Amino acid sequence: DGCVRLYRPDMTIAMRSQYPPVPPERECQGTESELGGIRFSPDGALVAFGLRYRVEGDRLRPEVVVMDARTPKIVRVVHPDNPHQQSLCCIAWSADSTTLFVNGDVEGDQATPVYRMIHPATGELERWDVGEEQIANMLPLPGGGMVLATTTPSIVKVDADGAVSRGPGGTPMIVRPGNIVFRAGRADPLAFKLSPDGRTVELARHGRSAIRIDTRQGDPSRFVRVDVSPRADLRPAKRAGRLRVSTQVGHFAHRSSTRIDGHGVELLRDEDVWSWAVHGRRPIAVLGTQWHVRLLDATGRPLPGWEQPPFIPAPAYHSAITDDGLRAVVALGDGTVRWYDVASARELLSVFVHDSGENWVAWLPDGHYASSPGGDQFLGWLVNRSTDGAPDFFRAAQFERTLYRSDVGRRAFDARLLAQAPGQPHLSAPRVRIESIDEQTREVRFSVDPVGQRVTEIGVYADTIPLLDAAARTALASAKPVVRTVRVPDGLAFDSIRVEAEAASALGLDEAAAVRPVLAEVRKGRLRVVVIGVGRFDDFMYCAQQADCAVRPLPNAPNDAQELATALKQQEGRAFSKVDIVQVGHGIGPTPTKRALLEALTGLDPATPEDTTIVFLASHGITGPQSSGEYYFLTSDVTAETLRAVLGPATSKDALMRATRSLLSGTELTDALRKLAGRRILLIDTCHAGAARRSSNPYALARRSASAQVALLSAARGNELSYEYFDPTVRHGAFTYALLSSLDGLDAASEERQLTLEQMHRYVTVQVKRNTERVTTNATQTPVLYATSALRKSVLAEFRGSGHERPR
């Protein structure tokens, strides 16, 4: 109503006054101005408030008002010299009452400034351009700086001079998620394009290549793509069609009417339109506001079923109706793209893509989802426990075995497939809580409540490195609530701590960070190496010389395995205290049957948290529709029946299980590794499966590696071939030859150097590209690394002296 009120301790009114001032008889009757936040100075001498807006003539006049809290009288009114400033809504004082901070909304894509007044009664108004979007909160710090939270969302620490604070190494102290910031491109219609049916969407990123979402893809490796070629059928939302929309867009759009063909549209109080579009032929329009997606007809009224429009968690910065008129598609401020059924207003699908384009998650309203490796970390939900208790927070990754479906994109738009969905499951997980982290003793104390389930094992991780092997994890488990303590060894960084409780259908977890992170001591653990090279496939020997043989021999694979084992053995006494080697393969060890492979993987001695285990595999690799995208490594005893079961027509689950007994599945591989403590690293060099015409696809394997903290470096992407080195006298695959070259030394000029997994990946990527270019002009092979930050830093080799000249 435009009035400021001050209250006494007994809640009687000490002062009531209209702002801007009006005659007393008209006070508190409403005004064209709207007041914002109000705060006492900590010493109680002053009170300040901002104006969300004040209409002066035909323009807004944002201002901040400082009053004497005792009189009360206006001490001063300050107006920022910024034509884009729409409001000054929000106030904060320094603890000593000497400095006043204020912020508000700006129009367009400009940075949201913070204004500072030292000595508010007389000081100048200074401007800090530090906000990326609307500021949600300000916390002044001792010394004149502050911490800001924005709606991007981000958290920013600012120094007393208005500059973003710098941390170790000069890193800006800004914490932000990986959202694509749709707000930044909302004025550009080409920033959001879609196919006629809306099932393919292209998202522009400022200064970088576009990201394309193709919901038709059942192959997760192709669901989201970067650096895509242009497509003529992808077009922006339509602003011209059967209907004419008249509206303002952005903050305070609610002050102007929204009309469709001259008919007024009924919106909620303060509801702002952020985007709109029309259909080219049908008389329907879509409005995206900060709260709702609205589908309207030619009279401005909701379409049938849209009377209660879907609530959205962030402003809709882009809106569109598909050419077929069946779906509305919006891009929200939380970085998600959402599809709605025009006929029913039902949400069909939601997709979040990380700004890097590498990670993403797509989900249905019932909770079933698909994701990139690690993409399911971005999806979660709260479940209330009681009216006065903290809710439980669950991540999608905790229910991967129940909720993961690689085909959610296709299922969302297919009524037949939706009808086959198992329905929304009842979900619960063990409740895990990290009770304390002691930096002095390096001990982690935690509790686990099974919540009526049977906990089979409890794992503890330091900076994603498992501290316990399978036997120790099982020994910690109990059917009753327990409290346990585990010590982090000195050889691991004492920083990020994670505790997991495994049940049959779900994973309970909690994470925390040490207040004062402690770096790891320089302690060299053991390296345990298992190398596997499959050179022959007995069931296909009869066709080995034929061009159309389904599975052809790989004579280089055993040599790849043996030479890599030799190179890693040289790191004994260098990067590792001891190196143990196990070889399985034709001519280098036991015949590489599935049984021999599993014995090699499960027969390793127990590892300590400071040890590293590397498993290298070279053979053919396949995935098949009958195995729900499961990855299989071909052993020497693979049969034609096996390939038909995996790659051929549909078969029963029992028949598939029987047929795949001669294949090593990705699940079996990671299950064997997840039983080990310490760092676990997979190096996979697999190729096409001959006439089966299916490329090696470690993508599903990588997704499982995310939950087990196993690093995976594969020879190629899921849709690419893995080639042999162009010179047949070398007797290596292009990928393995690059691995061996990296282990020879990255920089011959350096006297003392180390090779990390991250460095190996960067080097191998360049070398494989160079190697495969000599195979054929159409050869494309891109090594892929999926690993946590700690695993990327794993040291694999140390070099002394001048090293070796790399082969060219």
Side-chain angles (χ1 to χ4, degrees), residues 768-781:
V768 166
K769 184 176 187 299
R770 182 182 300 174
N771 293 344
T772 53
E773 283 175 346
R774 304 189 186 187
V775 177
T776 171
T777 56
N778 296 322
T780 302
Q781 180 178 342

Side-chain angles (χ1 to χ4, degrees), residues 378-411:
F378 299 118
L379 181 62
W381 56 89
L382 293 169
V383 176
N384 290 325
R385 295 169 54 190
S386 64
T387 56
D388 58 352
D392 288 325
F393 176 69
F394 295 114
R395 303 181 187 187
Q398 294 178 244
F399 303 96
E400 178 189 358
R401 281 161 287 183
T402 303
L403 296 181
Y404 191 91
R405 302 184 68 96
S406 62
D407 63 345
V408 296
R410 293 185 299 188
R411 187 173 295 274

Side-chain angles (χ1 to χ4, degrees), residues 716-779:
R717 291 174 177 164
N719 59 341
E720 295 174 346
L721 299 174
S722 182
Y723 292 93
E724 298 298 305
Y725 191 69
F726 70 91
D727 183 352
T729 64
V730 170
R731 297 179 56 222
H732 285 299
F735 172 71
T736 303
Y737 195 51
L739 290 180
L740 295 170
S741 181
S742 72
L743 290 168
D744 273 342
L746 296 178
D747 183 359
S750 175
E751 292 296 322
E752 195 79 20
R753 56 200 186 279
Q754 293 180 329
L755 173 69
T756 65
L757 182 61
E758 175 72 36
Q759 291 170 324
M760 174 182 275
H761 172 239
R762 289 201 300 264
Y763 175 77
V764 165
T765 299
V766 174
Q767 293 302 309
V768 166
K769 184 176 187 299
R770 182 182 300 174
N771 293 344
T772 53
E773 283 175 346
R774 304 189 186 187
V775 177
T776 171
T777 56
N778 296 322

Side-chain angles (χ1 to χ4, degrees), residues 22-29:
V22 297
E25 64 272 12
R26 292 176 51 200
E27 285 186 347
C28 308
Q29 300 303 308

Side-chain angles (χ1 to χ4, degrees), residues 1-8 12-18 27-29 35 38 40 47 49 67 72:
D1 60 7
C3 269
V4 177
R5 295 171 173 82
L6 299 184
Y7 293 83
R8 300 184 184 93
T12 58
I13 293 179
M15 184 277 290
R16 180 180 63 190
S17 178
Q18 180 87 31
E27 285 186 347
C28 308
Q29 300 303 308
L35 307 188
I38 187 167
F40 281 104
V47 64
F49 62 89
M67 301 176 64

Side-chain angles (χ1 to χ4, degrees), residues 100-159:
L100 176 65
F101 299 92
V102 61
N103 76 77
D105 299 317
V106 294
E107 66 180 3
D109 297 333
Q110 290 78 20
T112 304
V114 171
Y115 298 95
R116 178 177 73 169
M117 285 191 293
I118 300 176
H119 305 302
T122 58
E124 295 293 324
L125 190 69
E126 305 172 59
R127 174 176 169 175
W128 294 352
D129 283 335
V130 293
E132 289 193 339
E133 202 172 315
Q134 182 178 349
I135 296 170
N137 203 2
M138 303 181 293
L139 296 178
L141 299 174
M146 66 165 28
V147 174
L148 300 173
T150 78
T151 57
T152 304
S154 66
I155 299 175
V156 185
K157 185 180 179 185
V158 183
D159 291 333

